[in-house]
Amino acid sequence: MRKASKVLCVLLVLAMVFGLAACGKPANNNTAEAPTYTLNLATTALGNNWNPHTWETSADDAVNGYITSPFVTMSIKDSKNGVYQWIYEMATAVTDVTATHQADLDKYGVNFQDKEDGTKKTAAETTDGYVYEIKLNPNAKWANGNAITADDYIYSMQELLNPKMHNYRANLYVDGESAVAGAAKYYNSEAPIYTCMAYTDEAYDYDIDKGIADGVVYINVNTTGYELYSMTLSDLDAQYNGGANAALIESIKSGANAYGYTKITDANKADALKIIDDILAGPFGVSDPDQRAQYSKEALFVNTGVGEKYEYDVVGCYKVDDYTIIYVNQNHIDINYFLTSLTSTWLVYKDYYEAGKDTSGELITTNYGTKVENTMAYGPYMLESVQTDKQMVFVQNPNWYGWEKGEDGTLVSYTNFEVDGKKVQQYRTTKIVLDVMDNAAQKQAFLKGEISSWEPNPEDLVTYASSDQLYKMDETYTWSFFFNTNPVHLQEMDNSKGNTNSIVLSNTNFRKGFSLAIDRAEWVTATPGYKPAFALMNNLYYYNIYEDPTSSYRGSDQAKKAIVNLYGIEYGEGKAYKTLDEAHDSVNGYNLTEAKALMKTACEELVAAGLYKEGEPIKIRMAYKKGALDSTDQKQAALMTKYINAAAEGSGFGTIELEPVGSIEDRYGAVPAGEFAIGCGAWGGAAFYPFRNMQVYCDPDQYSINEAADWDPKSEELTININGEDVTMTWQAWSGALVGSGVYAGADFETKLNVTATMEEEYLKKYYRIPVAGYTACELLSFKHAYYTDEYNIMYDFGGLRLMSYNYNDAEWADFVKAQGGELHYE
């Protein structure tokens, strides 16, 4: 399950493939000198290689966000209703032409789809989803004014896949859903082939230790495996492990061969596997040792031989005319997903690329895209200067196709599409300055008006929580409590794990009372900007995003009913709420009166069962986090302790202590193993696949089930009414019924929504997991700027730099800051 990056909003927009640009108020033509609009950004690291064929870090890729334009991208169509639209940039049209190019399917050797009888379709039976015609923008130019034509794209693809270079960003075009047909043949021509260990002929039978002993197992920290988020191990460590293994990663990289692969030996085995193991223990939450070893294979590679010799003519990416290319996909791909793959390009400038080549090593390299003089822009901005590890400056690229000359001679651009029914000015920024500084320095610079945005830490967020300039980007992850409810485990924890009377967690009414006692609106004030959560999935999940941008799972009647039912809210004639929407909007997860009643019932039940003696104190240790606890964690735990004691008051329970415990290597595994009764963690990602979300709670064959101590979804059954008929299956079977070859995978959306919402409701009613808050990334934006919309949308965020407006030009901003005494206040 994938999780979005927590980075500055502006940088996120530029580093991602969606939303690159800005807009603002028109220039003041009455001034002697046209006003300028500078965006001052801060980062902890600058890119040093933005070659689209070899870039390594997100900082590298962010540079391309400024200086290139994609074939297509997304922007706002209707901000009020959160509707996005595809817009063309370096392309003017993308068309599925499979039906008229069936000969290409056999020529380039595509992977045909299966038929119902188990055989493969033929070219004659295939009419869509493989061959796409890309009409190129005839106005596109390089920064030096030279036209960009189909020849540039074909040269760039050939060099990207060049078997004598083995550019590792070629993996996007050699493997995966948007791989070019025949690309793997050419890329591996007379070159060693490194195959993901999980997908070798030996597949899951291959023993890692034996492979290491045989000298055939390799690791490449800068090449993605298959399932590990499609991110490099280096990026995963930086993003989810705080860069804790950066030194080990550098050590592994230093031993790499010319192809970027480091052979795993007895000497480096521990380091290599630790990198993978820590990642699996973190965002994936894989606790079972055998399962973790199995998943490790997805990040390892086996040298499976040397490829046959091929020329580029086996690759299904070719020129039709000067402004048309054909792209033959290796696998069937829906046009919307193909368009998504076109939100970045592989384009390089031939003269600089060739001039920078070094042929002295085993593989050819090039220094293209590593400094100003060997970089050729074709986006709205171009690189003006670089001070290594200090600063980058970008200025307007005068030959970008989107500019027109304003009355005062300045470069002006307007959208070639309508936003909220009208065309608007875009790319208002005239200069972008990117400075390196740590978070403390960023805070000081931001409050002095020197940088345009800043991401506050949790302690600072308390100060700025109500600021009009605070933008919160919702993420798909939901932070929850999860429980070990097994009575045997709980009693053992009372005997030897530091708990007292944790047996109370075996009672469903106790856990439900705990949930209803949580004032989520207050609790999130002690977090880094999180938002209250009342369900497993938040409003970022869409079930038909490309055909219906309003298809929010959380906004469906089925999902609304599930949450209304969960919290016992009634609606209709004579009720407090007349409609489902009104009832749903009232949900806050907090009902102290009901929580008290549930706690009283729970105490009576536990006493009657001989499991608890009335009035005795209760202490429960919580597996809180992997790292050391900080003041924010302590504040969060203190609030939880306050809530549960408020609910337990007068119930017969004694004082309840919830003790957070940090520095736990694998809290996800420690809870079902019986080490802790309560764990804290999150599931999320895969925002466009809500129908498979329940698998993380119900399919132990694919995921480590955090609640597995007293919950067996492989045997416990659930009955759901499907089109008037009651259908009974195990929870595991239901969780896979809507995807892949599942029994309802081809069902209509109404059926899928019904199944998913019913499962979500019934699972939450077990109170094995209590949703508390949704993750957010928070950014303070300078008074100098404003985003187009305050409502975050996963497809276009807040409109990005493209639609950003300016409240002040540079001169006006300097005057404003001076008038404030050089110190700005955003509280």
Side-chain angles (χ1 to χ4, degrees):
M1 307 287 276
R2 294 171 174 79
K3 181 181 176 213
S5 301
K6 281 190 175 184
V7 293
L8 291 176
C9 183
V10 174
L11 289 179
L12 175 65
V13 175
L14 294 168
M16 288 174 61
V17 293
F18 306 134
L20 183 155
C23 85
K25 59 184 180 181
N28 181 355
N29 296 326
N30 296 322
T31 59
E33 185 175 332
T36 57
Y37 299 89
T38 301
L39 181 67
N40 295 94
L41 299 175
T43 182
T44 55
L46 294 176
N48 55 31
N49 168 29
W50 43 93
N51 177 353
H53 297 177
T54 59
W55 63 270
E56 296 184 17
T57 69
S58 57
D60 292 337
D61 193 38
V63 177
N64 284 317
Y66 299 104
I67 67 175
T68 70
S69 290
F71 287 112
V72 296
T73 188
M74 291 179 179
S75 192
I76 300 172
K77 183 175 184 178
D78 177 355
S79 63
K80 181 179 180 180
N81 295 303
V83 181
Y84 77 91
Q85 60 184 315
W86 285 111
I87 60 175
Y88 287 103
E89 298 215 29
M90 294 296 281
T92 59
V94 177
T95 308
D96 187 336
V97 294
T98 305
T100 57
H101 284 71
Q102 290 172 318
D104 281 344
L105 304 179
D106 285 327
K107 178 179 179 179
Y108 296 108
V110 306
N111 297 327
F112 287 104
Q113 292 178 291
D114 291 329
K115 295 192 292 185
E116 291 184 4
D117 62 4
T119 63
K120 295 284 186 182
K121 285 186 177 181
T122 65
E125 297 171 309
T126 303
T127 58
D128 65 77
Y130 282 95
V131 187
Y132 289 91
E133 178 187 80
I134 304 173
K135 287 289 187 181
L136 302 175
N137 187 339
N139 298 317
K141 296 179 181 180
W142 297 102
N144 63 2
N146 292 346
I148 297 175
T149 69
D151 290 328
D152 294 295
Y153 283 98
I154 301 308
Y155 165 80
S156 299
M157 178 61 78
Q158 184 168 354
E159 291 304 300
L160 171 64
L161 301 175
N162 191 334
K164 296 181 180 179
M165 298 187 77
H166 252 246
N167 296 307
Y168 69 78
R169 287 300 167 188
N171 67 334
L172 299 173
Y173 302 91
V174 172
D175 293 312
E177 67 176 13
S178 58
V180 186
K185 290 181 179 179
Y186 181 62
Y187 179 75
N188 290 316
S189 176
E190 298 185 307
I193 299 174
Y194 297 92
T195 305
C196 178
M197 191 175 190
Y199 293 84
T200 59
D201 290 339
E202 294 84 0
Y204 291 100
D205 295 330
Y206 206 103
D207 180 78
I208 291 177
D209 289 330
K210 182 180 182 300
I212 292 172
D214 291 345
V216 297
V217 180
Y218 292 76
I219 184 171
N220 185 328
V221 297
N222 284 327
T223 296
T224 59
Y226 276 68
E227 301 298 334
L228 298 183
Y229 283 15
S230 295
M231 292 173 64
T232 69
L233 296 180
S234 181
D235 281 349
L236 282 167
D237 179 67
Q239 184 165 324
Y240 297 117
N241 198 29
N245 287 323
L248 296 183
I249 286 173
E250 288 303 313
S251 176
I252 292 291
K253 287 172 63 177
S254 68
N257 61 23
Y259 295 87
Y261 293 84
T262 302
K263 181 183 288 188
I264 300 182
T265 65
D266 288 338
N268 64 14
K269 172 186 171 183
D271 289 346
L273 296 185
K274 184 180 188 303
I275 294 168
I276 301 169
D277 201 56
D278 285 353
I279 290 168
L280 290 174
F284 292 87
V286 180
S287 58
D288 180 75
D290 292 336
Q291 192 175 37
R292 196 179 296 185
Q294 190 60 64
Y295 286 172
S296 294
K297 296 178 183 179
E298 294 177 352
L300 299 176
F301 297 84
V302 175
N303 185 339
T304 55
V306 177
E308 296 180 38
K309 179 175 176 58
Y310 290 100
E311 301 298 335
Y312 181 77
D313 59 7
V314 301
V315 179
C317 183
Y318 61 89
K319 170 185 174 180
V320 176
D321 58 43
D322 283 349
Y323 291 101
T324 309
I325 62 175
I326 291 292
Y327 191 116
V328 184
N329 217 71
Q330 185 71 59
N331 306 296
H332 186 275
I333 186 171
D334 175 83
I335 189 168
N336 285 293
Y337 289 98
F338 183 69
L339 288 173
T340 301
S341 75
L342 296 183
T343 52
S344 61
T345 74
W346 58 89
L347 192 59
V348 294
Y349 185 63
K350 181 177 180 178
D351 290 353
Y352 286 178
Y353 200 91
E354 290 293 329
K357 282 186 174 179
D358 181 349
T359 60
S360 62
E362 183 179 353
L363 288 174
I364 298 172
T365 62
T366 180
N367 66 1
Y368 182 79
T370 56
K371 48 189 176 181
V372 174
E373 51 266 36
N374 58 31
T375 299
M376 185 63 76
Y378 58 93
Y381 300 97
M382 60 184 187
L383 192 58
E384 181 184 64
S385 64
V386 177
Q387 296 180 55
T388 304
D389 297 327
K390 292 182 64 177
Q391 186 186 78
M392 280 185 170
V393 178
F394 302 85
V395 295
Q396 290 173 312
N397 168 15
N399 284 306
W400 179 61
Y401 65 85
W403 296 124
E404 56 185 83
K405 284 286 183 71
E407 294 180 3
D408 58 357
T410 58
L411 297 174
V412 179
S413 182
Y414 292 88
T415 57
N416 61 353
F417 55 93
E418 291 189 348
V419 181
D420 292 331
K422 60 184 181 298
K423 292 188 175 182
V424 297
Q425 192 177 358
Q426 62 178 354
Y427 292 111
R428 186 56 179 139
T429 299
T430 55
K431 178 184 286 190
I432 301 164
V433 180
L434 189 58
D435 286 301
V436 175
M437 57 182 75
D438 61 24
N439 190 268
Q442 289 182 33
K443 176 181 179 180
Q444 296 305 314
F446 180 75
L447 296 178
K448 292 179 180 179
E450 296 170 354
I451 61 174
S452 300
S453 62
W454 167 55
E455 186 176 357
N457 58 35
E459 289 77 11
D460 285 318
L461 266 177
V462 175
T463 303
Y464 302 105
S466 61
S467 173
D468 290 338
Q469 293 300 110
L470 183 68
Y471 287 80
K472 293 183 178 181
M473 294 174 286
D474 291 347
E475 297 184 347
T476 60
Y477 269 51
T478 298
W479 191 96
S480 307
F481 282 128
F482 55 93
F483 301 97
N484 184 328
T485 60
N486 186 304
V488 175
H489 286 186
L490 292 169
Q491 288 173 333
E492 180 57 35
M493 283 184 251
D494 290 340
N495 293 332
S496 62
K497 305 294 183 182
N499 286 2
T500 303
N501 286 315
S502 60
I503 188 65
V504 297
L505 288 176
S506 65
N507 185 280
T508 303
N509 284 317
F510 183 93
R511 302 193 304 275
K512 181 177 180 180
F514 183 11
S515 176
L516 293 177
I518 300 172
D519 184 345
R520 290 162 173 82
E522 179 187 34
W523 189 84
V524 295
T525 63
T527 70
Y530 294 176
K531 293 183 177 180
F534 318 111
L536 299 175
M537 288 180 277
N538 64 13
N539 59 7
L540 292 184
Y541 284 86
Y542 293 83
Y543 58 88
N544 189 24
I545 186 67
Y546 288 124
E547 295 181 12
D548 180 5
T550 66
S551 61
S552 165
Y553 165 71
R554 198 78 274 152
S556 69
D557 284 350
Q558 293 88 339
K560 289 179 181 178
K561 287 178 182 177
I563 301 309
V564 167
N565 292 342
L566 175 68
Y567 291 99
I569 300 173
E570 298 180 342
Y571 63 94
E573 286 298 323
K575 305 295 182 182
Y577 304 102
K578 293 183 179 180
T579 66
L580 172 61
D581 285 344
E582 289 179 2
H584 182 264
D585 291 345
S586 75
V587 172
N588 62 12
Y590 182 60
N591 188 331
L592 185 58
T593 300
E594 185 177 356
K596 283 177 169 289
L598 287 165
M599 284 293 188
K600 189 175 188 303
T601 300
C603 186
E604 292 170 351
E605 291 172 343
L606 287 161
V607 170
L611 296 174
Y612 176 73
K613 184 177 180 181
E614 187 171 342
E616 286 190 345
I618 298 168
K619 177 182 178 181
I620 304 175
R621 299 168 74 245
M622 301 186 294
Y624 215 77
K625 65 189 293 187
K626 183 174 182 177
L629 297 179
D630 55 32
S631 59
T632 297
D633 302 318
Q634 298 290 358
K635 183 177 180 181
Q636 293 170 359
L639 286 171
M640 286 297 177
T641 299
K642 180 183 79 169
Y643 301 147
I644 198 168
N645 278 287
E649 184 179 6
S651 67
F653 286 121
T655 302
I656 301 174
E657 177 186 354
L658 300 178
E659 178 189 350
V661 181
S663 300
I664 301 172
E665 182 64 26
D666 179 13
R667 64 191 185 279
Y668 299 98
V671 172
E675 296 296 321
F676 290 88
I678 301 177
C680 310
W683 279 109
F688 304 154
Y689 303 92
F691 300 135
R692 78 181 190 201
N693 187 272
M694 291 304 299
Q695 288 182 309
V696 302
Y697 309 101
C698 303
D699 190 349
D701 291 338
Q702 293 195 59
Y703 299 93
S704 292
I705 306 302
N706 302 159
E707 302 80 12
D710 203 35
W711 158 240
D712 183 12
K714 298 181 75 168
S715 61
E716 187 172 328
E717 294 182 331
L718 173 68
T719 299
I720 300 178
N721 188 276
I722 305 294
N723 300 322
E725 179 184 353
D726 284 346
V727 179
T728 301
M729 292 193 290
T730 66
W731 281 82
Q732 182 188 38
W734 277 117
S735 73
L738 308 181
V739 297
S741 58
V743 63
Y744 296 112
D748 57 66
F749 286 124
E750 289 299 307
T751 299
K752 289 184 174 183
L753 287 167
N754 174 43
V755 172
T756 302
T758 300
M759 290 190 73
E760 184 180 31
E761 176 186 345
E762 294 303 319
Y763 178 78
L764 285 172
K765 283 180 176 178
K766 294 177 178 295
Y767 294 93
Y768 292 150
R769 177 173 287 260
I770 297 175
V772 177
Y775 281 10
T776 60
C778 298
E779 174 201 30
L780 273 171
L781 189 66
S782 164
F783 291 129
K784 185 179 181 181
H785 314 274
Y787 285 128
Y788 183 86
T789 176
D790 292 338
E791 296 297 322
Y792 176 76
N793 185 285
I794 196 170
M795 304 302 275
Y796 54 72
D797 60 85
F798 300 105
L801 183 58
R802 175 186 292 276
L803 300 180
M804 178 187 284
S805 62
Y806 280 78
N807 298 315
Y808 304 87
N809 62 41
D810 291 346
E812 292 168 344
W813 180 245
D815 290 342
F816 173 77
V817 173
K818 184 178 180 180
Q820 305 303 310
E823 190 71 25
L824 304 180
H825 296 276
Y826 289 86
E827 295 88 344

